[in-house]
Amino acid sequence: MTDTVAEPARGAAPKGVAIRLGIPMLSAPAMILVALGLLLPLALMLRNSLNIYDPAELMISAFTLENYVKFFTDSFYQGVLWRTIWISALSTAICLIFGAPVAYFLARYVGDFAKRMLLIFILVPLLIGNAVRTSAWMLILNDHGVLAAILGFFGYEGELGLMYSAPGVVIGLVSVLLPFMIITLNSVFEAIDRNLEDAGLSLGANHVTIMRRIVLPLALPGILSGSVLCFILSMNAYATPVLIGGPTFHMMAPTVYQQIAKVMNWPFGAALSFILMAVTLCLTIWVSALVQRKYRKWSE
Amino acid sequence: MSGASANNTRWAYTLFSSLVIGFILLPLVFIVWMSFFSNKILSFPPQGYTLDWYTRAWELSDFRNGFFLSFRTSMIATLVALVLGLPASFALVRGRFAGRDLVNTLLMSPIVVPAIVGGSAIFVFFLEIEFLTGIQVAGSSLGLIMAHSLIALPWMIRLVTTSMISVNPSIEEAASSLGAGPLTIFFRITLPVIKPGVIAGSLFAFVNSFIDLEKSIFLVGPNSTTLQIALINYLEWNFDSTIGAVATVQISLITLLLLITDRYVKLSRAF
């Protein structure tokens, strides 16, 4: 009898130690997959970006910054980077302008069930995949497409010219980024105490004043993170610029693909990848710092 | 007076939001509609309606085989993500160890690293392995499955950990003090509670793997293209209602999966 009581107590100590040591190890298999499939290939790519491209041998081992210098001295590639940046900034701004009211609407004016349904409707276009979503936009935007037919019905006969153009690409990007913006901002607005707005209202402020003086300052960190998310995704966009922008509309991600998989210039493609990630990171840090300084002034 | 203006504000928001949500959804409505047009050359308005494009999409081996390859690859990737992700989630939620945040960040990194960059890196990595050992990985189903498991894994972990946080650890401790081993505790106590998270995580991982374009584009072989690659290859030379038929099938499948996912875990929490 005493034995059966004592036994779990005796066994408990070593088992406890085993569990404590064992628990972190449970993440090892997943870490191995990430290490083999992502971290190691990325490290290798960073190394490759210092090599020299050779059409016959693909790559000659070296230790040079030539590929990075090539990027920053070739006006073509700088143009690609600038185009990527302004297209992304513009798309993000449009998403903010159109997404914020929808997010606020969902947070304040819609019941639980309707909100859940609307959020699914907003998320479906995001999760049906870039290929299908972009082909749907091609159907709308091309010169014999839906938009042209609608405008033709109203007597407009000119060329639409939205395919293979910057406005077309921005429209395509906005449609895939809007769901991200709406979902991020929705949770931000929901976290703001509704009583604050009611207090403002009872003190005689109109809706615009309440938004500007109460909601906007409180939501600013969330607005920032939503915008950063959209900007990053847009900087890395591949399908939209390729399919709607066409072969002559160059943005960064398609250029990376071109260099790595078609030209097989791995060192330069690798350098392009790291320039893309570094520029995106620097810009988001810079904008975040700007907004936070402004935010601090505001709250003082 | 103030009631009337509040009402106006409400109407303004409703109208504006309907237009924006319409903008997001309308392309899909049109592409589904277009899949039933009988016009030989795509144009508006439709001359009549037919189901022929669905038969044609099925007869094109690229689409048919692409669908099955995508389905199979995503199934296996989801299984891999499940087998690796469940223990990892357990470690992240229950473990108290140095570097846990780092492990979490690294396990989420496949979402953070741009898809094209991740795809480039793994493509070059596979080719370098081939040069060194002669084993072909890029263009093989092994390489494709590995890349897709990597896409599925972070979504699985994200949804499983969120639901695991809600499990009260004292229940597990109680079971442990009553002599249950870690495996018994996991299968008899933790798993039943986190089941919604596991189901939602699996479905979400499957969807994200199924729709992947940017990583697969580097890894598909000449005779084994996934559905998404088959779609953009077709789009390069054609634009007819066959695209609409394939898109409609994919939209239906994914909408269904998302509706099921949402029953278990609020979909907006996945982001």
Side-chain angles (χ1 to χ4, degrees):
Chain A
M1 193 62 200
T2 42
D3 268 334
T4 45
V5 176
E7 191 150 278
R10 226 188 294 141
K15 201 203 289 169
V17 171
I19 289 175
R20 217 163 296 144
L21 286 177
I23 283 182
M25 288 311 292
L26 288 174
S27 63
M31 282 299 291
I32 292 172
L33 177 66
V34 175
L36 277 180
L38 186 71
L39 304 178
L40 186 63
L42 274 180
L44 199 75
M45 193 150 86
L46 186 61
R47 176 67 191 86
N48 283 344
S49 75
L50 305 172
N51 287 342
I52 298 168
Y53 169 68
D54 183 271
E57 282 182 65
L58 278 184
M59 226 170 16
I60 298 171
S61 191
F63 217 77
T64 168
L65 289 173
E66 210 176 87
N67 299 299
Y68 294 91
V69 173
K70 176 181 171 188
F71 180 89
F72 287 107
T73 48
D74 190 325
S75 62
F76 172 78
Y77 292 107
Q78 279 177 26
V80 174
L81 180 61
W82 279 120
R83 186 175 301 110
T84 309
I85 292 175
W86 75 256
I87 292 266
S88 302
L90 182 64
S91 307
T92 305
I94 295 174
C95 283
L96 192 57
I97 293 166
F98 286 92
V102 180
Y104 187 78
F105 167 76
L106 290 173
R108 288 289 183 265
Y109 295 112
V110 181
D112 277 345
F113 179 75
K115 184 164 78 193
R116 201 164 177 165
M117 284 297 121
L118 283 173
L119 280 174
I120 294 177
F121 279 137
I122 290 167
L123 280 171
V124 163
L126 184 70
L127 289 163
I128 51 151
N130 284 329
V132 165
R133 192 180 39 75
T134 315
S135 49
W137 274 107
M138 290 166 77
L139 171 69
I140 306 271
L141 298 177
N142 84 64
D143 283 339
H144 312 284
V146 178
L147 195 59
I150 294 171
L151 290 175
F153 181 78
F154 289 108
Y156 178 81
E157 294 297 334
E159 288 279 292
L160 211 50
L162 279 171
M163 281 298 284
Y164 312 121
S165 77
V169 172
V170 171
I171 291 173
L173 281 175
V174 166
S175 81
V176 67
L177 299 176
L178 260 174
F180 285 106
M181 186 65 98
I182 292 173
I183 280 164
T184 312
L185 290 183
N186 177 248
S187 53
V188 171
F189 289 137
E190 271 175 9
I192 294 174
D193 190 349
R194 193 185 285 235
N195 291 328
L196 293 173
E197 293 161 45
D198 289 342
L201 202 64
S202 72
L203 291 171
N206 63 23
H207 185 71
V208 176
T209 315
I210 292 173
M211 290 311 274
R212 200 165 52 87
R213 301 285 293 274
I214 300 175
V215 177
L216 186 62
L218 286 172
L220 202 61
I223 290 176
L224 181 66
S225 58
S227 307
V228 164
L229 179 66
C230 285
F231 182 75
I232 294 175
L233 289 169
S234 160
M235 286 291 285
N236 300 324
Y238 174 77
T240 310
V242 165
L243 291 173
I244 299 183
T248 55
F249 191 89
H250 299 284
M251 280 175 67
M252 284 298 276
T255 312
V256 169
Y257 173 76
Q258 189 71 20
Q259 289 296 319
I260 298 269
K262 295 282 183 256
V263 185
M264 297 292 264
N265 186 342
W266 295 347
F268 188 58
L272 279 178
S273 302
F274 285 101
I275 290 168
L276 172 61
M277 289 195 286
V279 168
T280 311
L281 191 67
C282 290
L283 283 173
T284 51
I285 290 174
W286 177 61
V287 172
S288 306
L290 272 183
V291 172
Q292 262 151 16
R293 199 178 311 149
K294 177 130 187 163
Y295 179 62
R296 232 173 280 130
K297 256 188 222 149
W298 229 339
S299 46
E300 266 163 19
Chain B
M1 180 65 203
S2 118
S5 96
N7 235 344
N8 286 342
T9 315
R10 186 197 189 92
W11 277 112
Y13 273 108
T14 311
L15 181 67
F16 187 86
S17 303
S18 313
L19 289 175
V20 174
I21 295 173
F23 167 79
I24 300 176
L25 276 178
L26 225 54
L28 305 189
V29 175
F30 275 110
I31 205 163
V32 171
W33 185 31
M34 151 208 179
S35 73
F36 299 109
F37 285 14
S38 62
N39 308 19
K40 281 278 169 292
I41 294 164
L42 183 65
S43 60
F44 283 85
Q47 289 153 358
Y49 292 98
T50 172
L51 286 171
D52 286 353
W53 299 106
Y54 287 84
T55 342
R56 185 172 137 75
W58 179 256
E59 280 162 359
L60 285 173
S61 65
D62 276 356
F63 286 141
R64 194 179 60 238
N65 297 339
F67 178 81
F68 287 123
L69 180 69
S70 283
F71 200 86
R72 205 170 53 230
T73 308
S74 301
M75 280 294 248
I76 300 173
T78 307
L79 271 177
V80 173
L82 189 66
V83 171
L84 302 185
L86 270 184
S89 307
F90 194 76
L92 288 172
V93 176
R94 286 285 174 267
R96 299 271 171 278
F97 54 95
R100 193 182 54 167
D101 288 346
L102 180 68
V103 169
N104 188 28
T105 309
L106 290 179
L107 289 177
M108 287 299 134
S109 61
I111 300 183
V112 182
V113 173
I116 277 288
V117 173
S120 305
I122 206 168
F123 169 71
V124 172
F125 179 59
F126 283 166
L127 284 184
E128 295 205 42
I129 289 179
E130 193 178 327
F131 293 155
L132 283 175
T133 63
I135 305 167
Q136 195 199 342
V137 197
S140 77
S141 52
L142 177 70
L144 197 61
I145 286 168
M146 184 169 166
H148 277 252
S149 307
L150 216 55
I151 298 167
L153 183 69
W155 296 108
M156 179 76 79
I157 292 179
R158 184 176 276 188
L159 282 159
V160 170
T161 46
T162 14
S163 72
M164 215 179 255
I165 288 169
S166 64
V167 182
N168 187 348
S170 59
I171 306 174
E172 291 165 4
E173 279 157 24
S176 168
S177 73
L178 290 169
L183 279 180
T184 315
I185 296 176
F186 181 76
F187 282 106
R188 299 286 296 276
I189 295 172
T190 316
L191 195 57
V193 184
I194 61 167
K195 207 173 97 185
V198 174
I199 295 173
S202 305
L203 290 168
F204 212 70
F206 179 89
V207 168
N208 274 290
S209 152
F210 192 85
I211 63 173
D212 173 76
L213 176 73
E214 284 89 349
K215 279 203 175 79
S216 314
I217 198 170
F218 288 98
L219 299 173
V220 293
N223 291 315
S224 61
T225 49
T226 62
L227 185 60
Q228 311 309 307
I229 310 296
L231 268 169
I232 62 161
N233 284 348
Y234 189 84
L235 276 174
E236 205 169 332
W237 304 110
N238 318 274
F239 197 86
D240 59 32
S241 293
T242 320
I243 288 285
V246 178
T248 303
V249 172
Q250 180 157 329
I251 291 170
S252 321
L253 174 71
I254 287 175
T255 308
L256 180 71
L257 291 180
L258 291 180
L259 284 170
I260 301 173
T261 310
D262 191 68
R263 285 183 64 95
Y264 291 100
V265 169
K266 254 172 92 181
L267 214 50
S268 49
R269 270 175 52 191
F271 289 95

